[in-house]
Amino acid sequence: MTALKDTKANAMWGGRFASGPDAIMTAINASIGFDQRLYAQDIAGSRAHAAMLAATGIITPNDAAAIGEGLLTVLSEIEGGTFTFRTDLEDIHLNVESRLTDLIGEPGKRLHTGRSRNDQVATDFRLWVRDQCDAAIQGLTALMGAFLAQAEQGADWVMPGFTHLQTAQPVTWGHHMLAYVEMLSRDRSRFADARKRMNECPLGAAALAGTSFPIDRHMTATALGFDRPTANSLDSVSDRDFALEFLSASSICAMHLSRFAEELVIWSSAQFRFVRLSDKWTTGSSIMPQKKNPDAAELLRAKLGRILGATVALFTVMKGLALTYSKDMQEDKEQVFDAADTLMLSLAAMTGMVSDMTANRAVLETSAASGFSTATDLADWLVRALGLPFREAHHVTGSLVALAEKKGCDLPDLSLSELTSAHPGITQEVYSVLGVQNSVRSRNSYGGTAPDQVRAQIARWKAELA
């Protein structure tokens, strides 16, 4: 009785094994617990493969029709929650094929002609990652739109620009928001580039060497929306570059989200008060009733760790593998699944926070005028109006900053006599450049913070996103 049971357990493997696997081996070997997420891609690939087998005369049209209908039944069972996933069948491929054979009998056994699980999983996984690239692009576009709306609202609102988290020069709120639009646009292009590169179909590469059956790989590639079949069967089954590219793009994107999350944490603090986050994205304290914690931003800041960890993990899996397929590569999917889920959740949460946040315009403007933020404007004026070399202008401005700091005031508060004490050529005209509004309006170079430049960039991005 035991021998019969063991033989049944290995029916999908064939006659090579006389006894069943140990329970622990079954547990470590099985991937159905996570790769069942590939069911839709697996069934789509199998339907395309069956249609091609019939078109090339490898199986009969009747068998292909039975396979196609049977696979749709399997799909409906999975989506309806009535399908039983079996660990003894290892993975999604054998689970689907076994159920198909239960449903239609002999024709189901012909489905695997001219292919292997090696090219099958490579195809399924590419299809899944390709879908995730599309989802990421869509999520990024929505987030870019949220930042763009903030930029348009505050195109001429002044705020401090920072280097080293110290006040540097006045900038506009719109300009700061557009910086993230630029970052996210690069993320979007990375996913698009990765999608284009991965859009080749491994199906038909079989185990590693191709197949002796007269298959039409171009037909299956076209049916599955690929640009072409992969050109080398060894590379086809051993390549996971597409997953690594997706993870790499996800890591860079998550880093960008983490940077803005950090700004939200700082800006929403009582010390800054640059923005207000609504109750949707904050939590309270169990003992301090006054607290309003930016937990969503803090969690987003941490999500990079998971995504970057998945990236490092898959690089580590792949780095020492000789061609072609090794079972190590089964460890690719959980990393990618988790990273994709984390990224999509992060994009959705960040879009919600950016759309919902309220900037405190008055505080931004007051802060923009602090920390001698127009010192560079003063130095530039000395160069333009008096013809000083910039290094000398820098020195003169520095001495005036020291004077203002000693007096406990800002540069515009110094009297003309105090200004001329640093250089006799300074005139009343200098006050025209010392206000923060004048400062930002003067930065009118392409890509600068001047409101006119900001509005031009907003118009460009609105057209592109539309």
Side-chain angles (χ1 to χ4, degrees):
M1 190 71 176
T2 302
L4 288 174
K5 180 180 178 182
D6 288 343
T7 302
K8 170 67 175 174
N10 281 295
M12 303 303 292
W13 291 357
R16 170 66 178 83
F17 294 87
S19 62
D22 184 270
I24 295 176
M25 177 58 189
T26 299
I28 196 173
N29 191 52
S31 60
I32 190 59
F34 52 85
D35 71 11
Q36 60 187 259
R37 291 183 66 162
L38 300 175
Y39 74 87
Q41 291 78 17
D42 191 73
I43 289 171
S46 290
R47 295 189 76 225
H49 185 67
M52 179 275 296
L53 291 177
T56 54
I58 298 172
I59 64 174
T60 67
N62 287 340
D63 282 351
I67 290 169
E69 289 301 315
L71 287 169
L72 289 178
T73 300
V74 175
L75 179 63
S76 67
E77 289 179 353
I78 295 175
E79 292 181 338
T82 61
F83 188 93
T84 300
F85 292 102
R86 291 170 49 187
T87 303
D88 62 301
L89 292 175
E90 294 186 26
D91 55 34
I92 186 61
H93 322 298
L94 294 186
N95 269 266
V96 168
E97 186 180 333
S98 176
R99 178 58 181 151
L100 174 68
T101 303
D102 289 343
L103 289 169
I104 67 171
E106 193 70 21
K109 299 177 182 179
R110 303 186 190 281
L111 173 60
H112 208 52
T113 307
R115 73 176 186 186
S116 162
R117 281 191 295 174
N118 292 357
D119 62 333
Q120 191 178 356
V121 69
T123 303
D124 294 356
F125 200 21
R126 276 188 194 235
L127 287 169
W128 193 91
V129 174
R130 189 178 70 179
D131 290 344
Q132 293 306 303
C133 286
D134 291 339
I137 290 168
Q138 185 176 356
L140 282 162
T141 301
L143 180 53
M144 290 168 69
F147 274 111
L148 195 58
Q150 286 282 351
E152 188 168 25
Q153 182 183 32
D156 58 356
W157 299 358
V158 291
M159 66 175 290
F162 298 97
T163 60
H164 310 280
L165 204 55
Q166 306 294 313
T167 301
Q169 292 177 268
V171 296
T172 50
W173 173 260
H175 196 51
H176 197 108
M177 295 298 101
L178 287 176
Y180 284 96
V181 175
E182 295 289 338
M183 290 183 214
L184 297 171
S185 73
R186 293 193 296 273
D187 293 325
R188 199 170 64 154
S189 68
R190 272 184 280 270
F191 284 112
D193 289 345
R195 189 196 193 283
K196 183 177 180 180
R197 245 184 313 280
M198 72 179 64
N199 206 34
E200 297 182 348
C201 185
L203 196 59
L208 76 161
T211 178
S212 58
F213 291 98
I215 62 173
D216 184 347
R217 294 189 63 208
H218 288 85
M219 178 180 174
T220 48
T222 299
L224 294 171
F226 289 107
D227 294 330
R228 64 191 68 83
T230 51
N232 184 285
S233 61
L234 298 173
D235 180 57
S236 300
V237 298
S238 61
D239 170 43
R240 291 299 182 270
D241 288 2
F242 62 92
L244 289 167
E245 280 199 73
F246 173 77
L247 289 174
S248 298
S250 297
S251 294
I252 297 172
C253 179
M255 177 269 292
H256 290 150
L257 300 183
S258 181
R259 293 186 73 177
F260 190 67
E262 168 70 358
E263 295 204 303
L264 285 178
V265 171
I266 294 171
W267 289 355
S268 63
S269 68
Q271 290 72 28
F272 272 74
R273 297 185 298 115
F274 282 7
V275 299
R276 183 181 64 81
L277 298 174
S278 76
D279 294 347
K280 294 178 183 178
W281 305 104
T282 56
T283 64
S285 166
S286 61
I287 64 169
M288 294 171 285
Q290 84 283 8
K291 294 294 293 298
K292 191 173 184 180
N293 299 323
D295 282 9
E298 291 173 352
L299 287 166
L300 273 176
R301 191 172 55 183
K303 293 298 184 184
L304 170 61
R306 290 180 67 155
I307 296 175
L308 185 59
T311 307
V312 173
L314 185 52
F315 269 107
T316 305
V317 167
M318 297 300 299
K319 72 172 183 62
L321 299 185
L323 296 182
T324 55
Y325 181 83
S326 297
K327 195 70 170 183
D328 312 49
M329 292 164 70
Q330 184 168 289
E331 294 297 308
D332 56 2
K333 293 167 209 62
E334 285 183 284
Q335 312 296 339
V336 177
F337 292 161
D338 184 73
D341 291 345
T342 301
L343 179 67
M344 293 311 301
L345 177 61
S346 298
L347 287 171
M350 185 61 85
T351 302
M353 279 194 291
V354 172
S355 300
D356 191 59
M357 71 180 181
T358 303
N360 190 334
R361 183 178 181 180
V363 172
L364 289 170
E365 185 162 357
T366 300
S367 184
S370 66
F372 312 106
S373 64
T374 57
T376 306
D377 298 276
L378 173 56
D380 289 347
W381 182 87
L382 292 170
V383 172
R384 288 195 310 272
L386 304 185
L388 269 62
F390 183 78
R391 285 303 171 201
E392 184 179 345
H394 187 283
H395 179 76
V396 171
T397 302
S399 66
L400 289 171
V401 168
L403 176 60
E405 192 170 39
K406 184 177 180 180
K407 287 175 58 79
C409 66
D410 204 353
L411 287 172
D413 302 318
L414 293 175
S415 67
L416 182 58
S417 62
E418 287 170 329
L419 293 173
T420 56
S421 68
H423 194 283
I426 295 176
T427 68
Q428 190 74 28
E429 182 191 344
V430 74
Y431 290 103
S432 68
V433 303
L434 293 182
V436 292
Q437 295 289 354
N438 292 330
S439 174
V440 296
R441 280 196 294 268
S442 73
R443 308 292 172 186
N444 205 34
S445 57
Y446 181 82
T449 194
D452 287 347
Q453 284 294 327
V454 170
R455 291 189 179 99
Q457 294 296 334
I458 289 169
R460 176 176 72 87
W461 277 115
K462 287 178 73 172
E464 181 163 329
L465 294 184

